[in-house]
């Protein structure tokens, strides 16, 4: 993850962990190869509360590749789009998000 993106997440960490149910983000981040199945299982098993899961998630995400933050923003957009403004995304970054489509949502929406 780029330093500027790490800083964005650090500046809004408390609000993020109090607001976001990270389990909702897993499908999109798995699809984008940001998280692995093992990562998701680790977060589920180690975090006892929703806030603890979010803390573990953010710590793990910070170690992921340079596209991790953008994938996170795409995953957040449908349910937590208001966070994108908090992160201070530039107009170009917001436009890039508008042009990208990625599955974001509850894994129950996928038929197998």
């Amino acid at each position: 993850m780029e330093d500027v993106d790490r800083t964005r997440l650090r500046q809004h960490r408390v609000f993020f962990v109090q607001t976001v149910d990270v389990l909702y983000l897993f499908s999109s981040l798995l699809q984008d190869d940001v998280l692995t199945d093992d990562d998701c299982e680790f977060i589920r098993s180690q975090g006892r509360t929703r806030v603890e899961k979010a803390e573990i998630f953010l710590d793990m995400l910070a170690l992921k590749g340079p596209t991790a933050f953008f994938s996170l923003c795409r995953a957040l957009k449908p349910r937590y789009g208001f966070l994108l403004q908090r992160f201070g995304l530039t107009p170009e970054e917001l436009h890039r998000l508008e042009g990208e489509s990625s599955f974001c949502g509850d894994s129950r929406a996928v038929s197998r």
Side-chain angles (χ1 to χ4, degrees), residues 85-98:
Q85 291 179 332
R86 273 194 163 219
F87 290 156
L89 297 181
T90 65
E92 294 81 17
E93 290 168 322
L94 289 170
H95 181 70
R96 183 173 167 210
L97 278 175
E98 292 295 327

Side-chain angles (χ1 to χ4, degrees), residues 9-95:
L9 289 176
R10 186 174 48 251
Q11 289 173 338
H12 302 286
R13 185 178 181 98
V14 171
F15 185 78
F16 184 99
V17 300
Q18 291 175 348
T19 305
V20 176
D21 178 357
V22 296
L23 300 180
Y24 168 79
L25 307 175
F26 284 1
S27 292
S28 182
L29 295 174
L30 280 165
Q31 177 177 304
D32 287 351
D33 292 323
V34 172
L35 294 179
T36 65
D37 288 327
D38 288 341
D39 292 336
C40 295
E41 184 55 37
F42 181 82
I43 294 166
R44 281 187 192 103
S45 66
Q46 297 301 307
R48 291 177 303 219
T49 66
R50 186 183 54 77
V51 170
E52 286 180 3
K53 286 175 177 44
E55 292 275 359
I56 294 166
F57 170 81
L58 287 177
D59 292 342
M60 186 179 288
L61 193 70
L63 303 175
K64 299 298 181 172
T67 63
F69 182 75
F70 185 73
S71 291
L72 171 65
C73 289
R74 271 201 321 244
L76 288 168
K77 191 175 177 215
R79 187 177 288 181
Y80 302 106
F82 57 91
L83 280 172
L84 305 181
Q85 291 179 332
R86 273 194 163 219
F87 290 156
L89 297 181
T90 65
E92 294 81 17
E93 290 168 322
L94 289 170
H95 181 70

